[in-house]
Amino acid sequence: MVGAAALPVKFLCMKQITLFGIGTCLSAVLLIGCGNDNYLDPIPYVLVDTTINLSNIEYNALRIDRGYVEIQGGWKGIIIYREDATTYKAFEKASPHRVDEACAEVIVDPDGLFMRELCDNSIFDFDGIPIGGLAQIPLRQYVTQLDGNYLHIFNQP
C-alpha cells in the first residue's frame, strides 16, 4: 500500500474536495498546485555536494555515452549516467515508493537500457520517470555541473 506521503498532490486535492469543500482545495491549489508533476517526496533529505574527477580510472564507464557508475552519497547511493559528452545525470538509488523497505533500491538493469527497482522490478527511464511496474513517482534527481574533467553533483538549491 502506498503511504499518504507518496500520493500525488492531485489525489490529495481531490480527497480534500469531498472532505472539506472546494474552498479548501482551492487554497491548497494556490499554495502548492495540483499538476501531475507535484508529488510529496518521501525520501528523507540528505545533503549532496560531491565532485568526481572523470579522468580517475574508477569512472572509466563515464567516458562513453550511456555509461554509468554508482557512488556513495544521498540516502542509499547515487547512480551517475552519461547521456553524451556534455550531459550527465545523477539519480538517488532509494526507491521513491518503498522508502522503508530493504529491497527499495534502484539499479541500472544489466543491459543498460533502463533502471529498475529491486522490490517489484518497477522500471525507470534515464530521465527518472517510471515507465513500468507499480512506481508512480519519479526518481529523485540531483543537479550535475561539468567543469572540464570534474563533475559536481549536488542538491537543487
Side-chain angles (χ1 to χ4, degrees):
M1 182 171 167
V2 176
L7 295 175
V9 173
K10 186 172 188 175
F11 178 78
L12 295 175
C13 286
M14 291 188 309
K15 194 167 184 104
Q16 285 180 338
I17 288 174
T18 58
L19 295 176
F20 304 108
I22 295 173
T24 303
C25 187
L26 183 55
S27 298
V29 171
L30 292 174
L31 291 174
I32 58 176
C34 269
N36 290 334
D37 294 336
N38 294 323
Y39 294 93
L40 300 174
D41 190 346
I43 301 170
Y45 176 84
V46 175
L47 178 65
V48 173
D49 186 11
T50 189
T51 300
I52 63 170
N53 184 342
L54 295 171
S55 60
N56 189 321
I57 195 165
E58 67 184 298
Y59 304 118
N60 274 347
L62 295 175
R63 293 182 184 171
I64 59 169
D65 292 353
R66 296 191 317 262
Y68 67 92
V69 297
E70 295 180 9
I71 65 169
Q72 292 182 344
W75 182 249
K76 286 193 174 183
I78 299 172
I79 296 170
I80 303 171
Y81 174 78
R82 175 181 157 150
E83 192 169 289
D84 59 44
T86 61
T87 308
Y88 293 82
K89 296 181 177 182
F91 299 98
E92 171 62 48
K93 288 187 59 157
S95 172
H97 78 286
R98 294 177 181 265
V99 175
D100 296 327
E101 295 182 39
C103 63
E105 191 170 307
V106 175
I107 63 165
V108 176
D109 198 68
D111 63 13
L113 298 177
F114 54 87
M115 296 176 281
R116 70 180 173 83
E117 185 209 49
L118 295 175
C119 287
D120 65 15
N121 288 319
S122 288
I123 299 171
F124 300 86
D125 65 17
F126 283 104
D127 287 321
I129 306 300
I131 56 174
L134 299 176
Q136 295 180 2
I137 301 171
L139 297 176
R140 177 179 289 172
Q141 187 169 356
Y142 299 112
V143 179
T144 59
Q145 189 173 51
L146 185 62
D147 183 13
N149 284 331
Y150 295 92
L151 182 66
H152 186 202
I153 301 135
F154 56 98
N155 298 78
Q156 184 73 25

